[in-house]
Amino acid sequence: MRGLADIYSTLFRTDLAVQFQYRAAMVIWLIGRIVDTLVFLSVWTAVARSQGGQVGGFTSGDFAAYYIVMMMMGHLTFTWFMFEFEYRVRSGAFSPLLLQPLHPIHRDIATNISYKFLTLAVMLPTVGLMVWIFDPVFDPPTWAIWASIPVILLAFLMRFFVEWALALVALWTTRTAAANQLYFAVSLFFSGQMAPLSLLPEWLQTLAAILPFRWMLAFPTELLLGRLTPTEVLWGAATQVAWLGLSWGIMAAVWSRGVRRYSAVGS
């Protein structure tokens, strides 16, 4: 464990230096995330006002709080390796990674965390500005704030393993854009990004509870908004642990089979 900690420390320092070389790209990516949030927030705020001030138990202030927290949850848990893996395989950049005495997933985890650590310098002031502009209703109980720490960590690991397993499809086919877009379309709907899940028909809420997407984003968001009881939080955390074990198992199985099938392309 100490050796792995030293490896991660080195990877973090290296990746932070690399991230600084792509400052303009990071700003563009962050702007895209903020714009998405503003679009959904504006739409649902307009709907609430047109319905007399609230819809489905959400006022304009509730929607503001929901989407501001959802934006941060998306930032803390998202990955991009589903898109990058295809390039790695096509360009031949994946082959050198297999020759190193370190599983490639460790490098990707370090890169992901270093990016998020660096971009918090922009995200946190943005959240403060949005709070000032939109006046969200945000008053979670203290226990919910503390409980959100392990819940967010589980959500990140869940999402990382699920999406890394999906990225490994590139070991079978060098074009994965269609699979990636389908995944994100389903995730957009069932993770609560498009609309709070409580506004969906009951049968869709049941389906969302079965699929992993709710537990990646909507669950930690609802927790931080104080919309869950302690029993619901415990049940949700147990569901996260179950999905984490399943996603890790799927990722490990896909990796084992994919590496044996992999044929280098590119140069």
Side-chain angles (χ1 to χ4, degrees):
M1 289 299 294
R2 183 175 180 179
L4 189 60
D6 291 338
I7 290 172
Y8 267 92
S9 177
T10 302
L11 290 175
F12 285 143
R13 292 196 300 271
T14 303
D15 287 328
L16 283 174
V18 171
Q19 298 292 346
F20 271 112
Q21 305 303 313
Y22 297 92
R23 296 185 293 273
M26 284 194 294
V27 170
I28 293 172
W29 295 333
L30 291 172
I31 289 175
R33 180 171 297 280
I34 294 167
V35 168
D36 285 346
T37 299
L38 291 176
V39 168
F40 289 127
L41 174 55
S42 299
V43 169
W44 283 108
T45 297
V47 171
R49 289 173 179 169
S50 69
Q51 297 295 319
Q54 69 171 357
V55 56
F58 282 83
T59 64
S60 297
D62 292 328
F63 278 120
Y66 180 87
Y67 279 106
I68 290 172
V69 174
M70 175 64 74
M71 180 180 70
M72 283 303 301
M73 291 303 103
H75 179 73
L76 293 174
T77 63
F78 91 106
T79 76
W80 59 84
F81 301 108
M82 294 166 58
F83 299 99
E84 184 173 310
F85 230 94
E86 175 185 314
Y87 169 77
R88 287 177 178 174
V89 174
R90 287 193 290 108
S91 66
F94 185 62
S95 298
L97 298 179
L98 295 177
L99 299 177
Q100 299 177 9
L102 182 70
H103 196 297
I105 197 171
H106 295 296
R107 184 178 298 277
D108 286 348
I109 291 173
T111 300
N112 189 277
I113 294 175
S114 64
Y115 169 84
K116 291 170 181 176
F117 177 78
L118 185 61
T119 51
L120 279 177
V122 176
M123 290 299 295
L124 292 179
T126 301
V127 168
L129 181 61
M130 293 178 68
V131 168
W132 178 66
I133 293 174
F134 293 103
D135 193 24
V137 177
F138 181 74
D139 187 27
T142 302
W143 68 264
I145 296 175
W146 285 107
S148 69
I149 297 174
V151 164
I152 293 171
L153 178 60
L154 287 170
F156 163 69
L157 293 173
M158 257 187 70
R159 188 170 182 181
F160 193 96
F161 287 141
V162 168
E163 295 181 3
W164 214 78
L166 186 57
L168 294 177
V169 172
L171 298 177
W172 279 267
T173 173
T174 55
R175 297 294 181 182
T176 61
N180 294 342
Q181 293 300 333
L182 176 61
Y183 170 86
F184 276 108
V186 176
S187 174
L188 183 68
F189 190 76
F190 285 105
S191 66
Q193 296 177 77
M194 185 174 292
L197 294 179
S198 61
L199 300 183
L200 300 181
E202 189 170 340
W203 70 273
L204 284 177
Q205 294 185 43
T206 301
L207 182 58
I210 297 172
L211 297 173
F213 307 106
R214 179 196 175 189
W215 312 107
M216 298 175 182
L217 287 173
F219 174 56
T221 298
E222 294 166 358
L223 171 58
L224 270 175
L225 293 176
R227 288 181 168 266
L228 300 175
T229 65
T231 301
E232 290 173 327
V233 173
L234 290 174
W235 173 255
T239 305
Q240 284 185 310
V241 171
W243 268 111
L244 176 58
L246 180 61
S247 61
W248 183 88
I250 293 173
M251 184 273 296
V254 174
W255 169 260
S256 177
R257 292 177 178 271
V259 169
R260 290 198 299 267
R261 185 182 178 88
Y262 169 67
S263 296
V265 298
S267 56

